[in-house]
Amino acid sequence: MKPLLRATALLSAIGLAGAVAACGANAKDASPTKAETKAGGTLYILSDSSKASYDPAKSQGLAITSLALVHRRLTSWNVREGQPATVVPDLATDTGRPSDNGRTWTYTLKDGLKFSDGSPITSADVRHGIERSFAPSFSGGLGYHKSLLAGGEDYRGPFEGKDLASIATPDARTIVFTLNRPYGDWPWIASNPAFSPVPKGKGAEANYGENPVASGPYVLSKYQQGVEARLTRNPYWSQDTVRAGLPNEIVFQLGQQTAVISKRLVEDNGDDKAAFGSSFVSPAQLAQIQGNASAKSRLVTSKTGAVAYLALNTQKGVLKDPKVRQAFQYAVDKASYQVATAGSAALAGDVATTLITPGISGRQQFDLYPAPPTGDPAKAKQLLADAGQPNGLDNLTLVVSTGNNFPEKAQAIQASLARAGIKVTIRTLDGEAYSAAVTGPTADYDLALSSWQPDFPSPSANLQPLFATSEIGNGGYNISRYSNPEVDRLITEAQSTVDPVEAGRKWVEIDKLISKDAPVVPLIYTRNSFLRGSKVANFFIADFPAYPNYLQVGIAQ
């Protein structure tokens, strides 16, 4: 499968904010309780982006953020503090009924579903929404389903007069998917944006995202690029178990400077009392907030987040040798990386030892390379000597993005590797150049700094995009260029396993096998912090993903 790079993955590669551990437990957040929260009021979301699109075919959005306020999907996510995320029904009556060993999945829509124009939502509308995502003019969204649906690789959307035969709609409430291979995580795929319904016969216009037909609790009633996106109530929304639908209106204020967002929320005046910021609070802003008791009490921090890692180009020079790569596991000073990231270990996130991120069901904690957080240079030197490199390594190139203090992080890596006899030259690139360098057909680098937050909470979304041979080059994010036929076989086997407990066991073994080959050095599990106004209620971050659940937020009345 060749998934498209999601926006948060690229954002993570360019830079991540840290968080304050002392303020990080959501239980300590002073947000008004649910008992104090009633339907009503206007919620303001302050965004540093100048654009907002509500076209599900073009979206890479999470199932708990802005798009899901307007569009429902076949399935969605149940995210709660202290619990792994689980897949739950949304438009459908269940999370899918597999047959043919997981090659076929059948869904039945709930009764009485309606669009915001009052027309019924049918299986044909869900099919049309999915088929739109195949049209070249509506590309850019998450594309896992495109390579899984039989015939999908040659399909170009419904506007050429053809339907995708692998999506059947035998009646108005039933939709059946035929895949080209068994795939146990299909219920998670059905929670992707493209599985939002679009009325059949609509959605051909390029600006559909500015005037979509809604199925969620809100409709996009006003959109002005760089100014605002205003959501108002959808009178035909059927109350669901995923969305609370509390505010009367939700206003995204677009094009705001991040420093100004933080300043407004810290001051907590007027409408900003009913606002929160959609972007991470930066390390510099976090340091300032520590001296403000009110703002500190309104800071909400994830327990964990993306896995930041150092990728080792396994197809180049001495790094082809796994013994050499294993030396890097001990050479890197992860504590200094934490400091370079956010000023301290508490601000940055915990040291990482596995490739599957915390908060995902089935993950197992282990450490194949036990060492102090500061590393073990002597052990690294010994492993290099055993690999025939007694004099260390010279002239390795480390590529990093210029954004969000990644050059400083690279300097920390450079210094720690030097203590183990590994000499590295840093090459900084802007965001687009960095992406082209690490995901292109050739790889003129030895090392690369990056991070990854999976698109959905399954080990498959952690491991397959980063380590499957199919993801090398051509836009894929296997930037270590790691290729192991046994890992590829086991990934396919685990993906084909419908039982989640059995699949989880297989993914843990794959995590360990890849870690033994050492194509990357996991550095830290990053933390994200967000700031809210004093009247914003039910504002929390679950174990996964490391973002607030927009669907539950309300205003204290």
Side-chain angles (χ1 to χ4, degrees):
M1 179 167 59
K2 178 70 70 175
L4 296 171
L5 291 179
R6 67 168 296 185
T8 52
L10 287 176
L11 176 63
S12 298
I14 296 170
L16 290 158
V20 182
C23 305
N26 288 318
K28 297 181 181 179
D29 171 43
S31 175
T33 64
K34 289 185 178 180
E36 300 170 324
T37 308
K38 299 179 181 179
T42 299
L43 174 68
Y44 297 88
I45 301 177
L46 312 183
S47 173
D48 58 2
S49 175
S50 64
K51 297 180 181 180
S53 174
Y54 290 86
D55 188 333
K58 297 181 177 181
S59 175
Q60 298 187 8
L62 298 167
I64 62 165
T65 52
S66 56
L67 190 83
L69 295 166
V70 174
H71 298 291
R72 298 179 68 174
R73 311 166 190 199
L74 278 180
T75 64
S76 189
W77 304 354
N78 181 28
V79 296
R80 299 180 183 275
E81 298 172 70
Q83 300 178 21
T86 57
V87 63
V88 293
D90 193 358
L91 291 172
T93 57
D94 55 35
T95 59
R97 301 181 298 280
S99 56
D100 193 17
N101 297 316
R103 190 186 299 270
T104 301
W105 290 83
T106 301
Y107 292 83
T108 301
L109 299 184
K110 295 172 181 174
D111 284 320
L113 298 171
K114 292 183 179 181
F115 284 113
S116 54
D117 62 4
S119 62
I121 297 173
T122 70
S123 57
D125 301 316
V126 176
R127 175 179 183 161
H128 183 61
I130 298 168
E131 289 179 337
R132 281 183 74 247
S133 69
F134 285 85
S137 57
F138 293 101
S139 62
L142 292 181
Y144 292 89
H145 59 288
K146 296 180 184 180
S147 61
L148 286 169
L149 286 165
E153 293 180 355
D154 299 320
Y155 184 62
R156 294 178 60 83
F159 306 115
E160 296 184 359
K162 295 181 179 179
D163 290 330
L164 183 58
S166 54
I167 307 177
T169 53
D171 59 56
R173 292 183 55 208
T174 304
I175 186 165
V176 183
F177 301 98
T178 301
L179 311 185
N180 52 31
R181 60 186 174 95
Y183 194 79
D185 273 340
W186 187 255
W188 289 115
I189 301 300
S191 72
N192 282 183
F195 288 74
S196 301
V198 174
K200 191 169 177 60
K202 296 188 178 182
E205 57 274 25
N207 65 345
Y208 180 76
E210 297 179 11
N211 189 31
V213 183
S215 53
Y218 299 97
V219 297
L220 180 61
S221 59
K222 180 182 178 182
Y223 176 71
Q224 186 177 357
Q225 182 175 322
V227 180
E228 76 170 32
R230 183 176 293 265
L231 309 184
T232 53
R233 288 197 180 278
N234 171 9
Y236 293 99
W237 171 57
S238 300
Q239 183 78 38
D240 63 66
T241 58
V242 176
R243 300 161 185 81
L246 293 173
N248 284 336
E249 289 190 330
I250 300 177
V251 179
F252 288 80
Q253 295 186 354
L254 306 175
Q256 306 293 310
Q257 294 182 358
T258 53
V260 174
I261 291 174
S262 290
K263 183 176 184 296
R264 288 172 55 181
L265 292 172
V266 167
E267 293 176 351
D268 196 38
N269 294 321
D271 289 342
D272 291 339
K273 291 183 178 181
F276 71 85
S278 64
S279 55
F280 305 155
V281 180
S282 74
Q285 294 162 341
L286 284 169
Q288 295 173 0
I289 289 170
Q290 298 316 294
N292 185 313
S294 172
K296 189 175 180 179
S297 72
R298 293 182 279 108
L299 187 72
V300 180
T301 298
S302 66
K303 296 178 182 178
T304 185
V307 56
Y309 62 93
L310 176 68
L312 315 178
N313 187 345
T314 61
Q315 296 185 2
K316 190 174 182 186
V318 294
L319 296 177
K320 294 178 181 179
D321 187 346
K323 293 181 179 178
V324 170
R325 300 196 299 267
Q326 289 170 357
F328 278 79
Q329 308 297 322
Y330 295 98
V332 172
D333 180 348
K334 299 181 182 181
S336 69
Y337 187 85
Q338 289 173 315
V339 172
T341 297
S344 71
L347 288 165
D350 294 336
V351 165
T353 60
T354 69
L355 305 174
I356 299 175
T357 50
I360 291 180
S361 182
R363 176 184 179 270
Q364 184 181 111
Q365 176 63 33
F366 62 87
D367 187 357
L368 298 187
Y369 306 99
T374 53
D376 189 342
K379 176 77 170 180
K381 289 179 179 179
Q382 183 59 55
L383 287 173
L384 287 175
D386 293 344
Q389 304 293 333
N391 299 320
L393 304 176
D394 289 323
N395 301 319
L396 298 184
T397 299
L398 168 60
V399 295
V400 295
S401 166
T402 55
N404 288 334
N405 80 318
F406 257 78
E408 289 79 9
K409 298 173 190 177
Q411 290 170 10
I413 296 290
Q414 182 186 47
S416 64
L417 292 178
R419 290 192 289 273
I422 302 171
K423 297 180 181 179
V424 169
T425 300
I426 298 171
R427 178 158 56 102
T428 59
L429 302 169
D430 65 35
E432 290 186 4
Y434 172 85
S435 179
V438 298
T439 68
T442 59
D444 185 24
Y445 60 88
D446 300 289
L447 314 171
L449 274 179
S450 188
S451 61
W452 184 262
Q453 168 121 357
D455 294 313
F456 52 92
S458 164
S460 175
N462 262 123
L463 300 182
Q464 190 268 345
L466 299 186
F467 302 108
T469 301
S470 61
E471 303 308 307
I472 297 174
N474 300 316
Y477 221 74
N478 183 346
I479 65 176
S480 62
R481 309 275 160 158
Y482 174 71
S483 180
N484 182 333
E486 177 65 6
V487 167
D488 291 338
R489 183 187 69 79
L490 291 173
I491 285 176
T492 299
E493 181 181 301
Q495 288 179 332
S496 301
T497 303
V498 174
D499 177 49
V501 175
E502 182 183 355
R505 288 193 291 265
K506 293 179 179 180
W507 286 117
V508 169
E509 293 309 309
I510 296 169
D511 194 348
K512 292 179 179 179
L513 178 58
I514 297 171
S515 296
K516 183 178 179 181
D517 282 346
V520 304
V521 180
L523 299 170
I524 62 174
Y525 304 117
T526 60
R527 290 191 176 117
N528 301 337
S529 287
F530 299 85
L531 193 60
R532 64 166 182 84
S534 57
K535 290 187 176 181
V536 175
N538 303 341
F539 190 74
F540 67 91
I541 302 175
D543 288 7
F544 181 96
Y547 295 87
N549 186 347
Y550 290 24
L551 311 185
Q552 296 297 320
V553 177
I555 305 298
Q557 302 298 311

